[in-house]
Amino acid sequence: MLRKPAYILILLTLWFALPLSAPAQPLKAFFDAGTWGYKNKAGKVVIKPTFQLAKDFVGSRGLVRFENKFGYIDPQGKIAIPCKYDDAYSFVADVAWVKLGQEFMLIDTKGKVLQSGFDDMKYTLYGSFAQVKRGSKYGLFDAKGNVCMELKYDNISLLNDNQANTTINGRAVVIYDLRQHQKQIQEQMAAAALPALPALPQYDYRDIIKHLPLIRTKYPNAVDSSEAFGKISIRVLVDSTGKPLRVEADKKEDKVLSAAAINACKSATYTPATDKKPTWLNLPVFFLPGIKEITEPITPLELEVMYELNLARMNPPKYADKLAEIKKYIKGNILQLPNDAAAGYSSTFIATLNEAIAELRATTPRDFLAISPPLLAASRVHMQDCDAKGIFGHEGSDGSMPQDRMQRFAKWENAAGENVSYGTRTAFGIISQLLIDDGVPSRGHRKNILHSSYNFVGVSYGNHAKYNHQCVQNFAGFVEPLR
């Protein structure tokens, strides 16, 4: 450690002793009497042999080793990046991989760290790709330092310069077009930097508490209020706008909630979106005597979907303004919502979007949708079935339809329906896709969201074998759980 300032000073003295008219053209490394130096194009020695190792210039930097450490010089022979690395590679397209201690990182020509925290890095046989490892996961960068494959794969085996065999969480995956895959990653990264959509403080989960008397009055014979709203609840931490930050089971209800549900809820956390002190609310779930436990936990994203549903229902004209913001995120033929996957759209999309905006502005407020465990269970069944079998639509692999699945868990009355969205991974992306309903002539998904007879909902979000993400929503006017 004490020698580092000393050798930097020695090297700086060496470079500054060179003539001011040092050539600007790239230098060639040469070896003489055990050390390396550099000559210019004419063969004149510009830097006397000094280094343990020197590499020919690639781009604007030459790789050298001095006192067992690697660094870089510029075409004028001056130190560009001090010799401090334990291992290093030549620059390609103004980026280079280096190793400091046990950590691999990517730097630019000024030594600024662009990527870091990797346990290993090696160049592949095809295409000058750099394969990196962090923990047990692998990723891939191209020669310019751009991400080609995210750091989430169990292994990566390139078939050629545009295809790869890999596994993710034990499941085999073939990437047939690396360039297209990389383009999608770059679009997603660009979306993360887009401005946030406007907040709508007109509705939050605190309003649910105000509506409990309405539910009790509407179904006095079926609902015992002390049982329905006193025995089972999920606590929701909300910020000053009412947005959910954390979901967990009420600790008083351990006797009726399964251990799996409690643990899953406790592990689901959000970062507070405001400096103001958040508050806890008890969010009721619909319940009747005879249900021993709730086995399905509710995740924060599922809660956000319910939040968006209620935003759209309880103030449709205001939500129309939020839907109109989508137009800002259309570039060419790609729709790229913040923090969501990029997606193409049809020639009828803009017209259908305008139609949805107009309908919302003309729609009167609807009742809020309360959480129903039987509907949640029915939505889980279909979501898991679609992921496992790679199917889509409303028909299950066993031929069941939405009402069939709901009847396995409850009796429903008045009205019932189901929405399924694919590909999107944010609550706003899911609800906006269903409200716009482009490509569905009946606009059935939009009608479900704005249906005046619905009072209860169950939402399940998860993976899909073909479309990556899916969200299943089951609605009903009234549900009575099976005893």
Side-chain angles (χ1 to χ4, degrees):
M1 295 300 293
L2 295 176
R3 298 189 63 185
K4 188 177 291 185
Y7 78 69
I8 292 176
L9 179 60
I10 291 170
L11 286 176
L12 285 173
T13 303
L14 173 63
W15 302 140
F16 288 135
L18 293 172
L20 293 177
S21 59
Q25 68 263 33
L27 309 177
K28 289 286 186 179
F30 75 97
F31 183 77
D32 184 39
T35 54
W36 290 80
Y38 282 92
K39 295 180 180 180
N40 63 18
K41 190 176 182 180
K44 180 181 178 180
V45 176
V46 175
I47 303 172
K48 294 181 180 180
T50 307
F51 304 105
Q52 294 170 308
L53 179 68
K55 294 289 186 179
D56 290 343
F57 272 76
V58 179
S60 62
R61 295 290 181 261
L63 174 63
V64 297
R65 186 173 70 192
F66 184 80
E67 293 192 347
N68 296 321
K69 296 291 183 179
F70 290 89
Y72 299 88
I73 61 172
D74 66 16
Q76 286 73 42
K78 296 180 180 179
I79 292 180
I81 302 173
C83 294
K84 62 179 181 178
Y85 301 107
D86 297 292
D87 199 359
Y89 292 84
S90 294
F91 270 87
V92 178
D94 292 333
V95 294
W97 287 96
V98 296
K99 183 181 181 183
L100 187 61
Q102 298 301 312
E103 180 184 9
F104 282 88
M105 58 188 70
L106 185 69
I107 62 173
D108 65 13
T109 54
K110 295 182 179 180
K112 179 182 177 181
V113 176
L114 305 176
Q115 300 282 349
S116 63
F118 302 108
D119 303 323
D120 194 13
M121 191 289 299
K122 62 181 181 181
Y123 278 107
T124 63
L125 179 63
Y126 299 103
S128 298
F129 292 110
Q131 180 174 297
V132 296
K133 180 183 180 184
R134 182 183 295 156
S136 61
K137 298 298 182 181
Y138 292 86
L140 199 68
F141 288 83
D142 67 12
K144 296 181 179 180
N146 299 314
V147 179
C148 291
M149 295 174 64
E150 310 95 311
L151 195 73
K152 65 179 184 180
Y153 297 93
D154 303 327
N155 57 65
I156 297 174
S157 176
L158 290 181
L159 302 176
N160 51 50
D161 65 356
N162 197 39
Q163 293 180 323
N165 273 338
T166 182
T167 59
I168 181 169
N169 297 326
R171 185 164 61 178
V173 176
V174 179
I175 298 178
Y176 292 99
D177 192 335
L178 267 177
R179 295 180 183 87
Q180 180 62 30
H181 184 78
Q182 182 180 27
K183 181 180 178 182
Q184 292 173 353
I185 295 173
Q186 291 172 344
E187 290 171 345
Q188 292 166 9
M189 293 172 67
L194 290 172
L197 288 162
L200 293 178
Q202 285 72 25
Y203 169 78
D204 65 59
Y205 277 108
R206 289 168 288 200
D207 290 339
I208 290 181
I209 309 302
K210 301 175 186 177
H211 281 74
L212 293 185
L214 172 64
I215 292 295
R216 296 188 182 113
T217 302
K218 189 175 267 191
Y219 304 106
N221 297 326
V223 178
D224 180 314
S225 61
S226 63
E227 290 292 331
F229 303 107
K231 292 294 182 182
I232 296 181
S233 64
I234 292 172
R235 296 203 314 156
V236 184
L237 183 65
V238 297
D239 66 16
S240 61
T241 70
K243 181 177 179 178
L245 307 177
R246 180 182 173 90
V247 190
E248 70 175 39
D250 191 325
K251 295 180 180 178
K252 297 178 182 178
E253 312 303 335
D254 288 359
K255 290 184 291 185
V256 290
L257 282 171
S258 71
I262 293 170
N263 292 334
C265 287
K266 286 181 178 178
S267 66
T269 60
Y270 271 30
T271 302
T274 176
D275 293 333
K276 295 182 180 179
K277 184 178 180 180
T279 56
W280 281 102
L281 300 175
N282 284 326
L283 180 66
V285 294
F286 186 66
F287 173 76
L288 286 178
I291 299 293
K292 299 300 182 184
E293 64 178 20
I294 298 175
T295 57
E296 298 292 347
I298 300 173
T299 68
L301 183 56
E302 289 165 346
L303 196 61
E304 279 203 65
V305 172
M306 296 179 212
Y307 177 83
E308 289 287 334
L309 275 169
N310 282 313
L311 280 175
R313 286 175 61 85
M314 297 188 73
N315 197 336
K318 187 66 179 178
Y319 203 83
D321 296 337
K322 187 174 184 179
L323 206 62
E325 295 290 324
I326 285 178
K327 296 177 182 178
K328 295 181 180 179
Y329 302 97
I330 293 175
K331 295 181 179 180
N333 62 345
I334 297 295
L335 171 63
Q336 179 71 79
L337 291 177
N339 304 314
D340 214 333
Y345 61 88
S346 73
S347 59
T348 61
F349 177 81
I350 300 297
T352 311
L353 170 60
N354 290 331
E355 172 197 300
I357 292 169
E359 183 172 343
L360 283 168
R361 286 178 175 154
T363 301
T364 57
R366 307 299 195 221
D367 286 340
F368 85 100
L369 297 175
I371 302 169
S372 167
L375 295 182
L376 175 64
S379 66
R380 284 282 195 275
V381 166
H382 192 51
M383 184 266 289
Q384 293 167 355
D385 184 32
C386 290
D387 179 37
K389 304 295 175 55
I391 60 177
F392 63 95
H394 298 289
E395 184 175 352
S397 62
D398 58 356
S400 64
M401 298 305 290
Q403 289 78 2
D404 301 324
R405 294 185 289 271
M406 294 181 207
Q407 288 172 355
R408 297 174 189 172
F409 303 96
K411 297 177 182 178
W412 59 270
E413 298 177 9
N414 298 342
E418 179 178 85
N419 281 352
V420 187
S421 72
Y422 300 96
T424 56
R425 56 172 181 260
T426 65
F428 177 68
I430 290 165
I431 299 306
S432 63
Q433 180 190 93
L434 296 169
L435 276 173
I436 298 169
D437 225 6
D438 187 37
V440 181
S442 68
R443 307 291 189 251
H445 302 104
R446 186 191 305 169
K447 290 177 181 177
N448 276 337
I449 292 176
L450 301 176
H451 203 303
S452 60
S453 297
Y454 291 155
N455 294 289
F456 299 98
V457 69
V459 173
S460 291
Y461 176 87
N463 296 325
H464 189 276
K466 183 176 181 180
Y467 298 108
N468 297 325
H469 312 284
Q470 61 173 322
C471 181
V472 181
Q473 305 156 16
N474 285 151
F475 306 89
F478 175 69
V479 285
E480 179 180 352
L482 299 178
R483 303 300 175 89

